[in-house]
Amino acid sequence: MVISEKALVNRMKEAYSTYGYTVAVQDDRMYLTNGFWLAEIDVDNVPDKILGMFGEHIRDVPKAGDAYKVTKGKDGAIVQKRILDEAMGAAKQMYERRAEAYEGILPVVMQKTNLTYEGCHVWQAANVRDIFLIDPRYAAMLSTTKDVHRVGEGIYAEDEESKLWILRVAKESDKTYLEHMQKISWVKE
């Protein structure tokens, strides 16, 4: 699995305590998102710790066709049943970006550099030198940094069991600085 189970549990706990997370199950795939990342996992391979989080938060394991928005309330979890198509909006948007990014071109491989900038990991594409700032909490969700590709405004990794999208941190104030950083290759080409 390209997703680190421990990091995903931590991001779910974090999302639960702040803006919440959405879980949806369509066919044989489970989708989890908080708007900054999207995890897709084969339902037969959902880790026990994730299932345990559902037991704790929604008192049930989502089944095909289920969709919930889960947030922490004063007296426990606030669970809102969602329309599946609405909940799947983020996944559909990510798929569209991936299709656009891959249309007629080879995927752009992103590599994590040893650099950080304002608390973010610096990722760079060797052949085009694009620079992406990725929140280290979200980057930790990747169990591997091999075969990570650029998709639109984020990075993407997949295997047979799972897929993970992470949106980059985009700060307009950093634009000039990042343009200068892109002039230098920080990764092996």
Side-chain angles (χ1 to χ4, degrees):
M1 200 158 78
V2 295
I3 302 169
S4 164
E5 177 182 346
K6 181 178 178 182
L8 179 57
V9 167
N10 288 337
R11 296 300 67 78
M12 286 175 67
K13 287 179 182 178
E14 178 183 84
Y16 174 74
S17 298
T18 56
Y19 303 109
Y21 65 87
T22 299
V23 57
V25 180
Q26 186 172 41
D27 301 323
D28 62 345
R29 306 297 282 180
M30 179 176 287
Y31 300 86
L32 293 155
T33 185
N34 79 339
F36 297 103
W37 50 264
L38 172 71
E40 177 186 333
I41 306 170
D42 183 89
V43 292
D44 294 331
N45 294 308
V46 176
D48 290 340
K49 289 183 181 180
I50 304 300
L51 296 174
M53 295 288 291
F54 297 140
E56 183 180 326
H57 295 164
I58 61 178
R59 308 278 188 248
D60 196 8
V61 175
K63 296 163 194 59
D66 287 347
Y68 302 99
K69 169 79 177 193
V70 185
T71 312
K72 184 176 182 179
K74 285 191 284 185
D75 299 322
I78 299 171
V79 180
Q80 300 171 319
K81 186 101 168 127
R82 304 290 293 263
I83 298 169
L84 184 63
D85 286 343
E86 178 186 313
M88 292 298 298
K92 289 177 184 172
Q93 199 173 40
M94 294 289 194
Y95 276 114
E96 288 168 6
R97 287 182 185 163
R98 180 173 175 250
E100 289 171 11
Y102 287 177
E103 189 175 325
I105 60 167
L106 293 172
V108 176
V109 176
M110 298 296 286
Q111 296 176 15
K112 183 179 170 222
T113 70
N114 291 327
L115 302 172
T116 59
Y117 179 72
E118 293 197 2
C120 293
H121 291 171
V122 175
W123 288 66
Q124 186 174 40
N127 51 349
V128 291
R129 294 195 181 163
D130 284 347
I131 295 277
F132 277 17
L133 299 179
I134 303 293
D135 187 312
R137 297 168 302 159
Y138 304 148
M141 293 172 67
L142 289 164
S143 63
T144 179
T145 55
K146 294 180 182 175
D147 295 324
V148 176
H149 300 104
R150 175 185 144 192
V151 177
E153 293 298 307
I155 58 176
Y156 169 84
E158 72 175 311
D159 62 14
E160 290 180 9
E161 298 175 346
S162 62
K163 298 175 183 175
L164 180 65
W165 286 270
I166 302 170
L167 294 179
R168 74 176 176 170
V169 177
K171 298 178 184 175
E172 195 59 36
S173 61
D174 300 332
K175 192 174 180 180
T176 304
Y177 184 78
L178 295 177
E179 286 173 357
H180 289 295
M181 286 181 74
Q182 286 179 184
K183 293 176 184 176
I184 300 168
S185 178
W186 301 99
V187 296
K188 294 179 184 176
E189 295 190 35

